[in-house]
Amino acid sequence: MAMNLCMGFNARLLICCICLSCTSSFSQIQVLERVVAIVDKDVVLQSELDQRISAVYAQVQQSGTQAPSLDILSSQVLERLISERLQLNLGFNAGIRITDQELNSAIERVAAAAGLSVENYVNTAISKGSRLDDLKEQIRNEMIILSLIHISEP
């Protein structure tokens, strides 16, 4: 019995060594995503930071004002993302939830305020590089933060 256990262990060890040597010789480590900040039990990813920086630069260009340096802007945008994550976590812990119906109503109000139908508003956002899911998430997050602010006001 001890011999069978020893042979089983040796066989497994040999298989592991073969697998490790195969994977190390055929594969390279590739970074898929980089974490730029940890907020409570959540993270801010490099791709989120890059996306937000691009959006801010687009807004600055549309307004015709001079953009700050990339270092300053990156720092400010990262600070804002961290603040948003903290607020969203507080909202979640406070039980604030936005239903799909509330979200759709908010999208209708935003579109109407822009003088557009919902379809035109969404198409305009998509033509500017937004994805519908990202747009909805952004609006939902803003609604959670606003609800949290209203709760905390005396």
Side-chain angles (χ1 to χ4, degrees):
M1 172 112 176
M3 179 116 170
N4 283 342
L5 286 175
C6 188
M7 289 190 70
F9 175 77
N10 287 340
R12 284 182 279 176
L13 181 61
L14 178 62
I15 290 171
C16 286
C17 288
I18 290 170
C19 288
L20 286 174
S21 68
C22 287
T23 58
S24 66
S25 63
F26 291 114
S27 66
Q28 296 177 343
I29 295 175
Q30 181 180 3
V31 176
L32 299 177
E33 188 64 79
R34 185 170 158 240
V35 173
V36 292
I38 298 174
V39 183
D40 290 335
K41 295 179 182 177
D42 203 356
V43 295
V44 176
L45 301 175
Q46 182 68 51
S47 61
E48 293 174 275
L49 180 60
D50 293 343
Q51 210 170 25
R52 187 68 67 92
I53 289 170
S54 294
V56 170
Y57 263 124
Q59 290 173 348
V60 168
Q61 286 178 340
Q62 283 181 343
S63 70
T65 59
Q66 175 136 2
S69 71
L70 183 58
D71 289 342
I72 292 171
L73 185 63
S74 294
S75 175
Q76 291 173 344
V77 169
L78 179 58
E79 193 173 303
R80 175 72 178 147
L81 284 168
I82 291 169
S83 175
E84 285 176 9
R85 281 288 168 31
L86 289 170
Q87 291 172 328
L88 290 171
N89 287 343
L90 285 171
F92 181 80
N93 292 336
I96 299 171
R97 304 293 186 272
I98 306 299
T99 66
D100 287 342
Q101 183 178 357
E102 291 170 317
L103 177 62
N104 291 334
S105 294
I107 292 171
E108 288 172 8
R109 287 191 305 274
V110 171
L116 300 170
S117 68
V118 172
E119 184 178 348
N120 286 342
Y121 174 75
V122 169
N123 288 338
T124 300
I126 290 171
S127 72
K128 292 181 179 178
S130 293
R131 290 184 22 231
L132 181 57
D133 289 341
D134 293 339
L135 179 66
K136 286 183 173 183
E137 182 181 357
Q138 178 186 356
I139 293 171
R140 188 183 304 266
N141 289 347
E142 289 172 8
M143 292 173 71
I144 291 170
I145 292 169
L146 286 173
S147 296
L148 182 64
I149 290 169
H150 289 318
I151 288 174
S152 63
E153 289 178 346

